[in-house]
Amino acid sequence: MRLNEFSYCVSQSLVLVPYEAYHVTRYHQWMLQPDILEATASEPLSLEEEFEMQRSWRNSDDKLTFIVLHRDTLESAMGSKVPASNKESALLPWQRQPAAELAAMIGDVNSFSIPNIDEDNQDNEEVVSEGREFELEVMIAEPAYRGRGLGREAVQCLIAYLSEALGAQPGQLLAKIGDDNLASQRLFTGPGLRFQLADRQPVFRQATYRCPREAAPSTPPGWAGVLTCSPLPAAAAACGLSA
């Protein structure tokens, strides 16, 4: 989504950045792993198809993707701190370093913006109500970073971004999770998110979990807000080489 083209988010342990072409090869390696394909209900793609998918996501009006970076690893690779306040990023927008980002990649987090359907329409037609809903997904692909609460922190960051940038409300948030994906079920229903089971889709072996309207998820620890980064040089955006 072009909306987050120059936006990034910082929390205590993570930095979320827009999905760029130089991330694709690493992302493709993740998506060849059988356990990740099963957990994400995905089919393997060729590298060329993965690049095309990245371009389509980047230009989409409905899909928002951030690559999840481990903050300490990123700052170590950069040799400097990531600007972590609106004042800092406004005075000097962050100059992203592709090589450092590749060293710090641990997963991704996504939102699909979908129409809010009126299911009570007597003519059985899809009627779009005011507002939209946001389907959330998260993947911590690097095994060394699983089981440390980083998936929850990444989802909290995405929700905080959707709230600040798009005005998303708790009742508009949902997640569709496979019946066998127990880790994601625990993540979304656990502390800090507290999504609730809304309905099951046995045919697809999945269920929909929703955030209660009256219970906003917790703000991620160390949340610095939606910040601004500088445009990448064309060569860096295309192949991951820093200028």
Side-chain angles (χ1 to χ4, degrees):
M1 182 180 274
R2 293 188 179 278
L3 177 66
N4 72 328
E5 185 174 6
F6 304 120
S7 298
Y8 71 101
C9 305
V10 178
S11 64
Q12 177 176 290
S13 303
L14 303 175
V15 178
L16 273 56
V17 296
Y19 184 25
E20 309 287 357
Y22 57 80
H23 296 130
V24 171
T25 299
R26 178 79 175 279
Y27 185 88
H28 177 63
Q29 292 169 350
W30 290 339
M31 298 307 295
L32 294 177
Q33 299 174 26
D35 61 326
I36 290 180
L37 289 173
E38 181 179 359
T40 59
S42 301
E43 294 294 331
L45 301 177
S46 68
L47 182 58
E48 292 76 13
E49 289 171 327
E50 208 75 77
F51 273 105
E52 178 56 37
M53 187 72 73
Q54 184 270 336
R55 287 190 290 269
S56 70
W57 290 352
R58 187 59 177 267
N59 295 320
S60 172
D61 291 327
D62 301 317
K63 183 175 176 65
L64 181 74
T65 300
F66 283 102
I67 292 294
V68 179
L69 309 178
H70 186 248
R71 182 175 178 180
D72 286 349
T73 305
L74 175 67
E75 292 181 338
S76 177
M78 291 172 50
S80 61
K81 297 291 186 181
V82 176
S85 72
N86 284 307
K87 182 177 180 180
E88 285 181 278
S89 68
L91 291 174
L92 185 63
W94 179 35
Q95 299 288 337
R96 294 169 60 189
Q97 297 182 24
E101 291 183 17
L102 292 174
M105 282 178 65
I106 64 170
D108 75 330
V109 66
N110 310 302
S111 167
F112 298 90
S113 176
I114 54 180
N116 188 1
I117 304 301
D118 182 358
E119 297 177 349
D120 296 326
N121 178 43
Q122 297 301 312
D123 296 327
N124 198 31
E125 297 176 353
E126 293 186 344
V127 177
V128 179
S129 305
E130 281 190 29
R132 299 179 73 80
E133 294 185 324
F134 301 91
E135 180 181 343
L136 311 181
E137 295 181 347
V138 63
M139 174 179 72
I140 300 299
E142 292 294 328
Y145 294 92
R146 295 174 187 165
R148 297 165 54 175
L150 299 179
R152 177 176 62 249
E153 189 170 328
V155 174
Q156 289 174 323
C157 286
L158 178 61
I159 291 173
Y161 175 88
L162 292 171
S163 176
E164 289 191 24
L166 296 176
Q169 300 299 309
Q172 295 175 279
L173 307 174
L174 63 96
K176 294 182 179 180
I177 304 173
D179 291 344
D180 297 328
N181 194 343
L182 301 182
S184 285
Q185 292 171 27
R186 289 193 295 267
L187 186 156
F188 276 94
T189 60
L193 294 176
R194 301 293 187 189
F195 281 40
Q196 298 175 356
L197 177 64
D199 63 85
R200 295 190 179 278
Q201 299 92 44
V203 173
F204 300 106
R205 291 186 48 77
Q206 70 176 18
T208 298
Y209 296 79
R210 292 183 175 274
C211 183
R213 293 179 181 275
E214 67 282 358
S218 302
T219 301
W223 175 247
V226 179
L227 308 174
T228 302
C229 53
S230 294
L232 286 162
C239 64
L241 300 177
S242 57

